[in-house]
Amino acid sequence: MAVQPEIEKKSVVQTVLDVADDVFTRITAGIPAGEVRRMIRGEAPGRPNPRLKPHSEAFLLHIKPTYYHESVTKFTHTFRLGLLSTYLFFVETITGLILMIWYAPTPERAYVDMIRLLSNVPFGQFMRDMHRLGAELMVLIVTAHMVRTYLTGSYKAPRQFTWFTGVILLVVTLFLSFSGYLLPWDQLAFWAVTIGTSMAEAVPPAIVGETVNLLARGAPDIGANGLLRFYLLHVLFLPLILFLFFFVHYYKVVHFGISLPSDEEEVGQDTANKVPADRRVYFLPDVMIDEASFLIGFTALMVFLTAFFFSAPLESIANPQSTPLHTVAPWYFYWLQGLLKIADKMIAGVILPGVLLVLLMAIPYLDRNPSRRARDRRVAIISGLVAGIVMVIWSWMGTPYYAVQGAPAVEVVQKLMPEEGAGHVRELGYANLPLGVYDTREHPVTENEEFNHILHQFEGHIAHFEEEDPSFNTPYGVLTVSQEQPSLKRLTWEIHWLSPEGVEDTFKRTFFLHENSLYWEQYGLRDFSFIRPAADLAAEE
Amino acid sequence: MKRPWYNFLYVRAPILKIGLGIGALLLTIGLLLFLGVVEESRMEAQTANWDGRAVEKGAEIYANNCYNCHGMDGKGLPGVAPALHSNYFFTQRLADVGWSGSLKDYIALTVAAGRPSNVNMQWAQMMPTWSNRFGGPLRDDQVNAVTAYVLNWEKSALTQGTEDNPDPWQFFANAPTRAVAGAEGTAAEAAVVAEPTGPRQPQELFVSMGCGGCHNLDQPQAADNRGPVGPNMANLHETAGTHGEDAETYVHTSIVNPNAYVSEGYMAGIMPQNFAEKMSEEEIDGLVAWLLDPNRVR
Ligand code: HEM
């Protein structure tokens, strides 16, 4: 059989090299190895530019522009916040999928599965913490991205619709976070979502509100049906909607190009499709290097935060019969909770947020100012700032510091040993709670410095409320620490005071603390005390 | 154009970007390796943590539901409910009742289902059903928590059986292997009836005789607020004289001979019949006076 003459002439080595380069070019969707070398050396592309090929050959790159205007590639123009939002969605999808392996959305299993994930799955807690941190960061970053596009006036013509789809993405992001909040099925989750969905009930007229509430919860109260519905919203419906609107959003971004800094682009001017040749920055390799290194850096930051400073909370299992003191929404809904404290449910929970949302969507159509420059947009920027400050104030009002103080005695105990979550005493732990009876009138001092600190706080809180509250007179507290069982201590908090009429009153609360219990706060340095030196372990065996 | 103050964030040189990217990648790998190395001990600590928390939850459930009958320290109340914090319970009980599963399962089952029959029963009342699967008030996780709590007595129960730390288990008339257990010396029956040192206080008697298991001192007895097993006693000083005898005689008789008066809606034979043997006449009188005191102090 005859072999083609030119192949016959080739040496074996050359043939192998050619095949290798061919494979390489297929993998890179059109860029031969030599071109990669030129890229790394910073040389100009050959002609015709082979670096454009992947944009037409490769699906993932065909949605990326081949080049950008130099001015928009400056990090300090976009802060890569849109890119970051997209990336966080990706991170959430991956970590979420992994979490789904160990999770069943039923009240019998959800919480137990969480415990199993934390104690029996290698990297299970890490995945959960990453997913939770990613969700909170996503809310933060998407909001920051909105603020950026607002401040640079990027929502103006022709990008009004980009902004509009962005608002939808923001709402979906918030709902995604919120729907995921219920899934651990602990007290924190259950009550935040119970309160959240109860706002739906306030939608007028009553029949609509009730129906919406019933549809969301699957029953008058959240139970097995509600959990399943929230699960399906969280893992299927909302991600799909986000996915869809992301592409609409991003299509518009590419279509109009990212807006140039306001000095370089007038409203309505088409700079996207007319980038002067000398200002072009090609995606391959410059922007890709930039974006890839940025995302890797961000991933490192997330892993670092998860490893040391962020631990997703898990409180007691959901109990529809008992509402914990000071139930709070996740921080990104504090503003709503604050509003609910000063107005009734229909106004604060439905009408006002609805109006705000419509306003937000309508900004590009309301703002007729033809300039994108900050100095011409004083009104817009100041109203934006004011809106931001109002949000912060409302959020502050949403925290328990504002207008939900319970009875002083209840609050004193709650400060030291809250019904749910950690608190100083639990964080101090079993080993640091010496047995005994400690009466604040005697200013007890023990040998344990940290425990003394607790006793001191106990006295301090009582004194504080004595000053604040006229119905809380000559109060004193007694903390009794006793051994309930092997490895289990009983802490009885008793607070005595006189009412204004001089009648003695008492509040008593009992908690138990086990030697092996670890309690943690969501934010703050992780407790690594479980790492014991190898010598210790050996000694035990 | 004026550069903003945050301009330093803008890294321009590709080589620096690549360097930072590689640095971040190495950092990530390093962090993951570190987490991987401590992962085993982290999982152990978490396992112990959640076991510990179950015991804490169980302690609360016990204090709210079980302690009335099984006693403060789990040492049982005579005539009301057996000890759980007992050497016998942890070492011998399963063999005696013929249960082939684990003690954990035995406790969980008993808590969940209760004791469904009162035939030949020597206790004042049946152990109620606790699991909401069988009509009780507790969810399964709560049943498991209280089981964990009871099991947590094991360490100290195993030290029982000495002079000053007797096993509180009470052997009952028809206990299957009373002789066997007694021979092994796991329990000191004598210890249950402590040598009296002068009359005991009514407060103490009310607890140690197990009255509190069925009678609530803080709730008044009323048509819409009836004690489920025995009548409530907060308003005893008002109601005791309404039975045709003076209040003292009525209460006294009801203690030494419970079936003499059986209040409407309660069953005869629930309250132990042998209190006259377990308390001195002086103690019973003290108890009667205390029960009838409108300003009763606990
Ligand atoms: C999940 C949420 C979101 C994702 C994944 C996303 C993604 C992106 C991306 C990748 C860009 C390219 C430019 C850049 O990086 O800044 C962009 C631009 C833009 N986004 Fe978003 N975005 C989201 C939410 C929003 C929101 C909430 C708004 C505003 C309400 C918004 C408004 C805009 C606008 C106006 C642009 C054009 C910016 C310009 O041309 O300078 N986006 N978005």
Side-chain angles (χ1 to χ4, degrees):
Chain A
M1 235 212 303
V3 175
Q4 284 181 14
E6 58 268 38
I7 290 183
E8 218 173 339
K9 268 183 254 147
K10 264 190 192 171
S11 70
V12 177
V13 174
Q14 191 56 44
T15 313
V16 170
L17 284 179
D18 282 356
V19 170
D21 197 36
D22 188 47
V23 171
F24 187 89
T25 311
R26 280 163 204 261
I27 291 174
T28 57
I31 300 194
E35 190 61 31
V36 171
R37 194 172 62 221
R38 275 195 292 282
M39 276 187 192
I40 292 173
R41 287 185 178 165
E43 289 168 14
R47 273 176 190 273
N49 188 344
R51 297 176 193 175
L52 301 183
K53 212 162 178 222
H55 289 279
S56 56
E57 300 268 302
F59 172 73
L60 289 180
L61 284 188
H62 94 279
I63 55 171
K64 276 279 189 191
T66 47
Y67 57 81
Y68 292 71
H69 192 293
E70 190 191 331
S71 299
V72 308
T73 59
K74 285 179 74 168
F75 179 75
T76 48
H77 179 52
T78 62
F79 294 95
R80 307 283 183 278
L81 291 168
L83 174 74
L84 213 49
S85 311
T86 317
Y87 179 65
L88 280 169
F89 179 59
F90 177 76
V91 170
E92 291 304 276
T93 309
I94 303 282
T95 51
L97 258 168
I98 294 174
L99 293 179
M100 279 170 77
I101 300 175
W102 289 279
Y103 179 83
T106 67
E108 290 75 34
R109 277 203 47 194
Y111 182 77
V112 184
D113 282 354
M114 284 290 142
I115 292 181
R116 210 157 52 103
L117 181 82
L118 294 184
S119 36
N120 259 339
V121 178
F123 285 95
Q125 186 169 15
F126 176 76
M127 280 299 154
R128 175 163 186 251
D129 291 347
M130 271 294 258
H131 191 71
R132 186 100 173 196
L133 177 69
E136 297 194 3
L137 282 179
M138 188 161 162
V139 173
L140 205 71
I141 299 284
V142 170
T143 312
H145 169 61
M146 179 178 83
V147 171
R148 187 298 271 178
T149 54
Y150 183 80
L151 291 179
T152 56
S154 306
Y155 55 82
K156 302 197 174 192
R159 299 186 181 82
Q160 300 98 319
F161 187 66
T162 319
W163 171 272
F164 181 85
T165 52
V167 176
I168 293 181
L169 287 173
L170 175 70
V171 172
V172 176
T173 305
L174 287 174
F175 273 114
L176 259 175
S177 267
F178 184 67
S179 57
Y181 212 74
L182 179 67
L183 303 186
W185 201 247
D186 62 349
Q187 284 285 71
L188 184 67
F190 184 86
W191 289 100
V193 173
T194 296
I195 294 171
T197 47
S198 78
M199 282 182 308
E201 219 172 355
V203 175
I207 178 75
V208 175
E210 273 160 32
T211 310
V212 172
N213 189 43
L214 203 59
L215 281 175
R217 291 183 179 180
D221 291 308
I222 297 180
N225 274 330
L227 180 56
L228 181 61
R229 283 169 198 211
F230 271 70
Y231 178 72
L232 291 176
L233 280 179
H234 186 71
V235 306
L236 237 100
F237 183 71
L238 292 171
L240 266 177
I241 297 287
L242 190 89
F243 200 63
L244 188 70
F245 275 93
F246 165 73
F247 281 110
V248 177
H249 188 68
Y250 193 67
Y251 177 76
K252 286 286 158 192
V253 171
V254 176
H255 185 60
F256 297 124
I258 296 174
S259 61
L260 302 188
S262 55
D263 282 331
E264 300 173 42
E265 181 187 320
E266 296 302 329
V267 168
Q269 186 186 336
D270 186 0
T271 40
N273 303 315
K274 298 198 189 77
V275 182
D278 61 333
R279 310 279 326 258
R280 287 178 193 177
V281 177
Y282 282 84
F283 179 76
L284 288 172
D286 297 274
V287 178
M288 191 193 74
I289 290 176
D290 186 285
E291 293 189 346
S293 58
F294 176 64
L295 292 183
I296 294 172
F298 188 79
T299 311
L301 178 72
M302 268 183 86
V303 171
F304 178 76
L305 287 179
T306 310
F308 295 109
F309 295 103
F310 183 90
S311 329
L314 188 63
E315 297 189 342
S316 309
I317 188 167
N319 185 354
Q321 265 90 46
S322 105
T323 322
L325 198 61
H326 300 333
T327 306
V328 288
W331 56 261
Y332 40 85
F333 285 125
Y334 277 176
W335 60 276
L336 241 176
Q337 207 173 4
L339 273 177
L340 284 170
K341 284 185 197 165
I342 51 172
D344 79 285
K345 240 191 207 170
M346 199 203 288
I347 294 178
V350 182
I351 297 180
L352 213 58
V355 170
L356 284 180
L357 192 61
V358 172
L359 266 181
L360 200 59
M361 286 178 166
I363 283 179
Y365 310 100
L366 295 178
D367 181 0
R368 303 237 153 242
N369 182 344
S371 170
R372 290 181 52 225
R373 288 181 191 86
R375 59 177 176 276
D376 301 331
R377 298 179 63 224
R378 295 235 164 81
V379 177
I381 287 180
I382 289 174
S383 18
L385 278 179
V386 169
I389 292 170
V390 168
M391 269 304 195
V392 171
I393 294 176
W394 283 348
S395 295
W396 175 77
M397 285 171 17
T399 63
Y401 297 106
Y402 178 79
V404 279
Q405 291 291 342
V410 179
E411 290 293 336
V412 169
V413 177
Q414 178 77 7
K415 276 189 197 303
L416 292 164
M417 204 161 185
E419 280 176 15
E420 286 295 341
H424 294 321
V425 176
R426 290 196 187 87
E427 274 184 278
L428 199 54
Y430 178 93
N432 285 314
L433 299 169
L435 300 181
V437 179
Y438 308 97
D439 187 327
T440 55
R441 287 169 302 181
E442 291 156 13
H443 313 293
V445 175
T446 67
E447 292 187 352
N448 187 315
E449 270 312 311
E450 292 182 87
F451 183 65
N452 288 344
H453 191 60
I454 295 277
L455 291 174
H456 191 73
Q457 283 180 316
F458 190 29
E459 272 187 68
H461 291 320
I462 291 178
H464 167 77
F465 281 105
E466 183 178 14
E467 245 169 62
E468 293 254 302
D469 194 327
S471 62
F472 192 60
N473 302 314
T474 54
Y476 66 94
V478 183
L479 167 63
T480 312
V481 183
S482 56
Q483 192 75 39
E484 169 81 4
Q485 272 190 338
S487 307
L488 187 71
K489 283 179 183 166
R490 173 194 279 260
L491 284 87
T492 308
W493 303 86
E494 262 178 76
I495 295 178
H496 302 261
W497 70 98
L498 296 178
S499 71
E501 297 81 40
V503 182
E504 184 167 339
D505 219 337
T506 316
F507 170 77
K508 192 169 155 187
R509 191 83 171 81
T510 302
F511 288 108
F512 298 91
L513 196 61
H514 192 274
E515 190 171 12
N516 294 337
S517 300
L518 306 165
Y519 284 87
W520 62 81
E521 299 284 359
Q522 183 169 2
Y523 310 102
L525 189 61
R526 186 186 289 275
D527 177 5
F528 278 104
S529 58
F530 59 80
I531 306 177
R532 285 175 302 168
D536 269 23
L537 289 174
E540 234 168 63
E541 281 161 19
Chain B
M1 207 176 88
K2 195 171 137 279
R3 295 217 176 118
W5 60 268
Y6 46 80
N7 199 57
F8 70 92
L9 289 172
Y10 176 31
V11 177
R12 219 170 290 240
I15 205 70
L16 187 55
K17 287 178 194 169
I18 294 178
L20 287 174
I22 292 177
L25 190 64
L26 292 178
L27 176 67
T28 311
I29 294 174
L31 285 168
L32 290 177
L33 280 177
F34 164 71
L35 291 178
V37 169
V38 301
E39 195 58 3
E40 198 67 41
S41 28
R42 184 199 63 73
M43 288 196 287
E44 261 171 42
Q46 278 288 359
T47 308
N49 166 35
W50 294 102
D51 289 349
R53 290 208 203 181
V55 174
E56 291 169 10
K57 288 277 172 287
E60 257 167 52
I61 297 166
Y62 185 90
N64 292 334
N65 301 284
C66 320
Y67 124 93
N68 272 344
C69 296
H70 287 282
M72 175 73 150
D73 199 20
K75 298 203 169 163
L77 291 175
V80 177
L84 305 169
H85 181 189
S86 146
N87 193 335
Y88 168 82
F89 179 68
F90 276 94
T91 53
Q92 195 59 40
R93 183 66 179 156
L94 291 190
D96 282 0
V97 297
W99 174 266
S100 56
S102 66
L103 184 61
K104 183 177 169 194
D105 289 344
Y106 176 70
I107 299 172
L109 172 76
T110 312
V111 174
R115 281 280 184 266
S117 152
N118 64 0
V119 174
N120 280 344
M121 199 178 70
Q122 65 275 48
W123 307 104
Q125 57 170 312
M126 284 154 58
M127 165 107 166
T129 297
W130 293 103
S131 165
N132 59 8
R133 276 185 289 156
F134 313 123
L138 301 183
R139 296 184 310 263
D140 278 354
D141 61 280
Q142 293 172 312
V143 171
N144 291 340
V146 80
T147 304
Y149 173 79
V150 171
L151 285 172
N152 196 39
W153 263 311
E154 175 161 17
K155 212 161 128 199
S156 66
L158 294 183
T159 65
Q160 290 169 350
T162 59
E163 277 286 299
D164 39 307
N165 182 16
D167 187 338
W169 187 264
Q170 313 142 41
F171 288 94
F172 11 99
N174 57 353
T177 60
R178 177 179 184 173
V180 178
E184 287 187 3
T186 48
E189 190 186 356
V192 177
V193 191
E195 279 303 309
T197 52
R200 288 165 288 177
Q201 292 303 311
Q203 287 92 334
E204 180 195 337
L205 288 168
F206 194 83
V207 173
S208 63
M209 293 293 140
C211 318
C214 304
H215 296 289
N216 189 318
L217 285 176
D218 302 321
Q219 294 283 333
Q221 175 75 358
D224 58 347
N225 188 30
R226 295 163 46 86
V229 184
N232 295 333
M233 289 186 165
N235 55 348
L236 188 65
H237 58 279
E238 293 162 7
T239 59
T242 62
H243 300 268
E245 271 185 81
D246 66 283
E248 276 77 19
T249 317
Y250 169 74
V251 176
H252 190 281
T253 313
S254 297
I255 292 173
V256 298
N257 183 13
N259 291 347
Y261 303 92
V262 179
S263 297
E264 172 84 29
Y266 293 96
M267 276 194 293
I270 297 284
M271 183 157 155
Q273 317 271 321
N274 59 350
F275 283 132
E277 298 150 33
K278 289 161 75 182
M279 291 181 270
S280 69
E281 197 52 37
E282 196 183 349
E283 286 172 341
I284 296 178
D285 288 341
L287 189 55
V288 171
W290 178 72
L291 285 173
L292 286 172
D293 180 357
N295 304 315
R296 184 196 297 144
V297 274
R298 286 241 231 158

